[in-house]
Amino acid sequence: MNLPQPSRRHVLLAGAGGLAAVALPGTAHALDAVEPDIDGTSRWTARPPRSPVELVGKRPTMIVVHHTVSVNSADVSRAQAHKHAHWVQDLHMDKNGWTDTGYHFLVSRGGWITEGRHQSLSTLRGGRDFVLGAHTSGQNGAGIGIANEGAYHDGAQPPRAQWEVLVTLCAYTCAQYGIAPSRIYGHKDFGDTLCPGVLHDKLPQLRSEVAASMG
């Protein structure tokens, strides 16, 4: 599969978001974290939630990584990222009966990020609160849920663009909320599931790259 060049992460590093110096609580110096390009719910024309989303009332203490077990599409376009976001929202609202998308953010195979549950983006930028999601039983009041488009439980590897933007999004989330990169987990750490597949094996690499990205 031919992925976009330069990679989405390199585009983000040079883009309008630039480098944002974010000071973590208890640190003497600010750390560099890239604010990635994230398409909010209005950008991808999400359905409104069935009921008002709830705020947790505090910062999250961890990130939980998922995969959506969707088709491993070769379409790396922004349009496909929006189509995938609709697919996930419809699944969660119509089949699961939830009020909205369960995840806070979705990372497409082409390296595009979409906001999942409404208000996830505005609260992330604020850095003081987060939306109560529906992604990890028993941990929804503690963790930000980031889901990756695709199915990675049968040995498939995430495309380079998806991986690099996942690193960027996790780094920005850690910086905004004061989360240590060591507190990036996979769904299967908290339940009997295969999710997030091979991405769980790659968590040590993810934590290391997020820490390096934050300076």
Side-chain angles (χ1 to χ4, degrees):
M1 179 176 64
N2 295 322
L3 296 176
Q5 298 293 331
S7 74
R8 283 280 295 151
R9 187 174 181 217
H10 293 158
V11 172
L12 290 170
L13 284 167
L19 286 175
V22 181
L24 294 181
T27 60
H29 303 286
L31 298 178
D32 285 333
V34 176
E35 178 177 353
D37 181 11
I38 301 174
D39 287 348
T41 51
S42 61
R43 180 70 182 265
W44 61 269
T45 62
R47 296 161 58 182
R50 285 202 176 96
S51 58
V53 297
E54 298 179 49
L55 297 182
V56 176
K58 62 181 180 180
R59 286 176 158 194
T61 59
M62 63 182 170
I63 294 171
V64 184
V65 176
H66 303 259
H67 67 164
T68 63
V69 201
S70 58
V71 173
N72 288 342
S73 175
D75 186 345
V76 296
S77 69
R78 192 174 212 153
Q80 168 58 24
H82 291 187
K83 180 180 179 182
H84 175 252
H86 279 289
W87 177 80
V88 172
Q89 187 184 41
D90 290 345
L91 178 68
H92 288 184
M93 292 180 70
D94 298 336
K95 183 176 180 180
N96 294 0
W98 298 344
T99 190
D100 197 1
T101 300
Y103 308 118
H104 294 93
F105 299 100
L106 302 158
V107 181
S108 79
R109 285 172 58 81
W112 302 96
I113 306 171
T114 51
E115 178 183 25
R117 184 155 293 202
H118 286 72
Q119 297 185 42
S120 295
L121 180 54
S122 61
T123 50
L124 172 62
R125 286 174 172 161
R128 295 183 179 277
D129 203 345
F130 74 110
V131 174
L132 182 65
H135 57 88
T136 306
S137 180
Q139 305 301 324
N140 291 316
I144 291 287
I146 298 177
N148 295 274
E149 176 190 13
Y152 298 115
H153 54 281
D154 289 327
Q157 293 289 324
R160 173 187 170 195
Q162 184 176 40
W163 175 262
E164 292 193 343
V165 172
L166 174 63
V167 171
T168 303
L169 176 59
C170 286
Y172 180 65
T173 302
C174 285
Q176 286 297 95
Y177 286 129
I179 300 171
S182 59
R183 292 188 61 79
I184 300 174
Y185 300 103
H187 187 183
K188 69 186 297 182
D189 289 319
F190 304 102
D192 184 15
T193 176
L194 296 176
C195 177
V198 72
L199 289 169
H200 192 271
D201 300 330
K202 295 170 73 70
L203 285 176
Q205 179 185 347
L206 178 61
R207 295 172 186 134
S208 176
E209 291 189 24
V210 167
S213 179
M214 293 172 67

